[in-house]
Amino acid sequence: MEKSAILHLLEWHQNNGINSVLRDQPRNRLANDFANNLERLENPESPAKMTPQPILSTSASHDHPALACQTLEQLKQVMLAFEGCDLKQSAMNLVFSDGNPKGPVMLVGEAPGADEDRQGLPFVGQSGQLLDKVLKTVGLDRTNTYISNIIPWRPPGNRPPTTQEIAMCQPFIQRHIELVRPKILVFLGGVAAKTLLNSNEGIMRLRGIWRDYVTHDGSAIKALATFHPAYLLRSPGQKALMWQDFLKVEKALQEAEHRL
Ligand code: URA
């Protein structure tokens, strides 16, 4: 292949966010299915042989290692040792959390980006800077909020996490929330909101309405979904809506204080 063609191909990969190498040798994921389909075309009687796919039954979450964790440190150690999610292979760091676990508010985002992966901390890049600004307007910062993500390892090239990756990591964030037990949960963006509210609705419908997040022991935590700050970087016109959502959080915190 000519050098210019190789450079062109590399550029195409880069532009499409394929910028991480996961294995030394390429793997043709279509090979089995292609041979299988060819065989069936030539011999329509032959039964279809499916390429095995990772199957996540609901029972998979019953023996998930997150469930046994009794402290945040235990949870972190279990996640550091976890080998059930391929994202870990391409990520530099586990992004566990930032902020104060004793604070009244816990924020949950989607997945770390490049800056977060490098530093091992959530929301430290451009989205995080915008988030910090919004938090500041309602008297919040990382001394009185706690921040984590649905997915603790950076998806290569910042691609959205797959359904399987979300299902595999969901018990971690669920246990995380149960161990922190904040007064208020804020879900940042559609992935966090849909996953933790168990809904198929989009963020436009889910945001701005108080809901109950129900833990494994059946208790409820007040939860509010809002936009992901990365979306606001692309659509700054929506910032006022996110701010309105955080005003609701501020009001709920004030009401909770008065009740004490
Ligand atoms: N986006 C997220 O959802 N989480 C981060 O930690 C950073 C960016």
Side-chain angles (χ1 to χ4, degrees):
M1 200 186 255
E2 297 219 349
K3 191 176 166 193
S4 63
I6 295 174
L7 287 175
H8 183 71
L9 247 169
L10 269 176
E11 193 184 340
W12 182 89
H13 279 78
Q14 187 98 45
N15 290 342
N16 285 283
I18 308 166
N19 56 10
S20 303
V21 179
L22 299 184
R23 291 188 167 80
D24 289 342
Q25 295 298 322
R27 184 164 124 203
N28 185 352
R29 293 176 185 274
L30 303 176
N32 284 349
D33 286 342
F34 181 71
N36 189 10
N37 287 342
L38 201 66
E39 188 188 332
R40 281 202 296 136
L41 274 180
E42 285 167 355
N43 177 11
E45 299 302 307
S46 76
K49 286 183 219 126
M50 301 298 290
T51 310
Q53 297 290 324
I55 296 169
L56 282 160
S57 71
T58 42
S59 66
S61 60
H62 289 152
D63 46 19
H64 195 284
L67 297 179
C69 299
Q70 298 304 320
T71 64
L72 289 174
E73 189 49 36
Q74 268 179 19
L75 181 66
K76 187 173 179 183
Q77 292 309 320
V78 162
M79 288 167 76
L80 282 168
F82 188 65
E83 295 298 340
C85 182
D86 274 355
L87 292 177
K88 188 178 171 183
Q89 290 174 24
S90 54
M92 289 169 73
N93 279 303
L94 168 79
V95 176
F96 185 70
S97 71
D98 194 18
N100 181 358
K102 297 203 167 18
V105 180
M106 178 168 177
L107 307 156
V108 183
E110 178 179 321
D115 294 316
E116 289 77 18
D117 185 34
R118 226 172 285 123
Q119 296 188 38
L121 290 170
F123 284 102
V124 289
Q126 267 196 310
S127 298
Q129 283 156 26
L130 176 57
L131 179 65
D132 286 341
K133 280 189 193 152
V134 179
L135 290 175
K136 201 171 167 195
T137 63
V138 292
L140 296 173
D141 55 29
R142 296 189 191 214
T143 66
N144 54 12
T145 55
Y146 185 70
I147 311 183
S148 189
N149 282 304
I150 297 284
I151 303 283
W153 296 281
R154 181 194 179 204
N158 294 349
R159 65 159 171 76
T162 64
T163 313
Q164 280 93 344
E165 286 159 359
I166 292 173
M168 193 50 99
C169 295
Q170 191 172 346
F172 285 129
I173 190 65
Q174 286 174 326
R175 191 71 194 131
H176 209 148
I177 291 170
E178 286 167 8
L179 291 171
V180 174
R181 266 198 190 266
K183 282 200 177 68
I184 288 174
L185 274 166
V186 177
F187 303 140
L188 300 168
V191 169
K194 286 181 185 183
T195 305
L196 294 173
L197 294 171
N198 194 20
S199 169
N200 286 324
E201 299 220 81
I203 189 65
M204 290 292 178
R205 282 181 176 274
L206 289 175
R207 64 152 283 277
I209 300 168
W210 284 111
R211 296 163 202 266
D212 279 346
Y213 173 81
V214 182
T215 61
H216 279 110
D217 67 11
S219 58
I221 301 174
K222 259 173 102 85
L224 193 78
T226 189
F227 294 124
H228 192 286
Y231 169 70
L232 296 185
L233 288 172
R234 296 190 301 271
S235 310
Q238 306 280 35
K239 276 186 197 164
L241 289 178
M242 191 191 206
W243 187 54
Q244 280 175 21
D245 295 339
F246 274 98
L247 287 177
K248 290 186 181 179
V249 172
E250 184 184 36
K251 189 161 174 253
L253 285 173
Q254 284 164 355
E255 283 169 6
E257 261 171 40
H258 282 129
R259 259 185 264 124
L260 292 177

